[in-house]
Amino acid sequence: MDSYMALSKKDLSLNITLNELYNTHSLLQQHLEALARNEKNHLRILLDDLGPAPPQVSRKENRAIELALFSRWEMPIQDLTTTLMAENNLTQNDILYMESKSIFVQLIRSIPQLTERRPINLPVIAERAATAKDATLVRKGIKVKEMLRELEELRLVDRRDGYKLLTEEVGAELTHLGNMREKVISETKSLESVYKTICDHNNYLRSQLEQYKAYLQNVRMTSGGGGGKNKPIGGVGVVSVDGKEKKVNKQAQALGPFKFSHAQFEKDGIIVETNVPENRQSNIFFLITSPSPGTYLIGLHYKGREKAILEMDLKIDDLLEKQKENVQLLDLEYVQLNVPKILALLNKTFVRKR
């Protein structure tokens, strides 16, 4: 989800090595048809402009760089007056014309409903902004009305042809920049599709988890005993004795709690490492309960306290998996337990009693 959260952030930067950058470029080109089928897709346009991906460089030349991330289709309209005044070849009238066009583009993008009307009516847009509730729009609306009047006095635009030249240039600018409302709607639909996909996958994983739990519980219920005729067979919560199915009394299945001192666990080598101060170790003890076959609850207690300092729910499958992967330690925050020895203790204490 972090990737999608980043879509709403600004001033983004990316720290990346040259080879990572070139490899990403190569992968995008390789899968371009799947990622951007439309000829007008921004990704396809960018990759066409970039050309083929550069080859990988040597380790010595593979330096990390920081790239500022932005979209060239979302470049903000700059203060044209400041920019153009630096150009000696432009007159004040040219600057007035360009700034008027810029303000009209800003107003239309700020009020997306205006783009639905064709052809674009510049006086109506200026009046709409000047009478808006937003103070910024009001200032810009009043300013551009005055600028439009000045342009007409300078005969750079003509009211009789509906300010044709300026209208056409504003329309072309909007086409280039893209309509903000359409872009937001498009991104919203895209994110809704991503969100739906994530939810569907999450539901699938939950379904798989529930099936796994049911299967695992069934295995635990049917794996007790030694394989003789009294070995339980059947579904979850049901055992079969001498061919007759009986419901299992869940309360009868629970075993424990069994109490073990900190000193006893240390002596047996079950505690590999402890963070409990020596002067308090005599007050520490463990209670181990088995609510159901293959499930254990280990509680670390302190004498005089009703509630456990720490409790951990363990599954025999998880412990066996740790042992298979050669994970020797089980972290209980205050103590580190030896996995093979805790397995042996659970087997000795519970399995033989069932």
Side-chain angles (χ1 to χ4, degrees), residues 334-352:
Y334 296 98
V335 293
Q336 303 274 339
L337 304 183
N338 181 285
V339 172
K341 291 188 176 181
I342 196 69
L343 269 170
L345 176 71
L346 295 175
N347 183 62
K348 177 183 176 181
T349 308
F350 296 97
V351 176
R352 296 178 184 178

Side-chain angles (χ1 to χ4, degrees), residues 102-295:
S102 172
I103 293 176
F104 274 117
V105 170
Q106 291 179 52
L107 290 176
I108 293 173
R109 296 189 77 192
S110 300
I111 312 174
Q113 297 88 344
L114 296 176
T115 60
E116 297 173 1
R117 299 181 181 179
R118 286 291 187 271
I120 296 173
N121 191 321
L122 298 182
V124 170
I125 292 171
E127 182 63 28
R128 174 76 177 272
T131 56
K133 295 181 180 180
D134 187 285
T136 302
L137 292 178
V138 171
R139 287 195 298 270
K140 288 183 178 180
I142 295 172
K143 181 179 180 180
V144 82
K145 283 175 68 176
E146 181 62 24
M147 294 172 76
L148 197 60
R149 184 189 63 77
E150 291 181 27
L151 289 172
E152 192 171 3
E153 290 178 356
L154 294 168
R155 296 184 179 180
L156 295 176
V157 295
D158 193 339
R159 181 192 299 266
R160 289 171 297 181
D161 64 3
Y163 309 100
K164 183 179 178 182
L165 180 61
L166 183 58
T167 301
E168 288 177 351
E169 291 195 15
V170 169
E173 189 76 12
L174 286 170
T175 301
H176 173 69
L177 294 174
N179 181 269
M180 185 180 295
R181 178 169 175 267
E182 291 175 358
K183 180 172 177 57
V184 169
I185 290 174
S186 175
E187 288 186 354
T188 301
K189 289 180 179 179
S190 176
L191 289 175
E192 285 176 349
S193 174
V194 171
Y195 176 72
K196 183 179 182 301
T197 302
I198 292 173
C199 288
D200 290 344
H201 188 61
N202 182 57
N203 291 335
Y204 167 76
L205 292 178
R206 287 180 180 275
S207 173
Q208 290 293 99
L209 181 61
E210 291 304 318
Q211 291 181 24
Y212 171 76
K213 285 181 177 178
Y215 169 76
L216 191 59
Q217 182 66 10
N218 191 43
V219 170
R220 287 172 180 155
M221 296 291 293
T222 59
S223 62
K229 65 178 184 178
N230 290 332
K231 182 178 178 179
I233 56 173
V236 177
V238 176
V239 296
S240 179
V241 180
D242 292 331
K244 296 181 180 180
E245 290 191 347
K246 294 183 179 181
K247 290 187 177 180
V248 176
N249 185 347
K250 293 185 178 180
Q251 290 183 348
Q253 292 180 350
L255 293 177
F258 296 93
K259 185 176 179 180
F260 303 89
S261 67
H262 185 284
Q264 184 180 350
F265 266 19
E266 268 195 317
K267 180 182 177 182
D268 295 337
I270 295 175
I271 292 181
V272 179
E273 187 176 344
T274 179
N275 296 324
V276 180
E278 287 188 18
N279 60 342
R280 296 187 178 181
Q281 290 179 5
S282 59
N283 294 321
I284 294 292
F285 63 95
F286 299 84
L287 289 181
I288 306 180
T289 308
S290 177
S292 60
T295 303

Side-chain angles (χ1 to χ4, degrees), residues 63-83:
R63 298 180 180 179
I65 57 175
E66 185 166 339
L67 294 178
L69 303 181
F70 63 91
S71 170
R72 80 183 194 189
W73 287 273
E74 294 181 0
M75 291 293 289
I77 300 174
Q78 299 176 353
D79 185 350
L80 291 177
T81 303
T82 304
T83 305

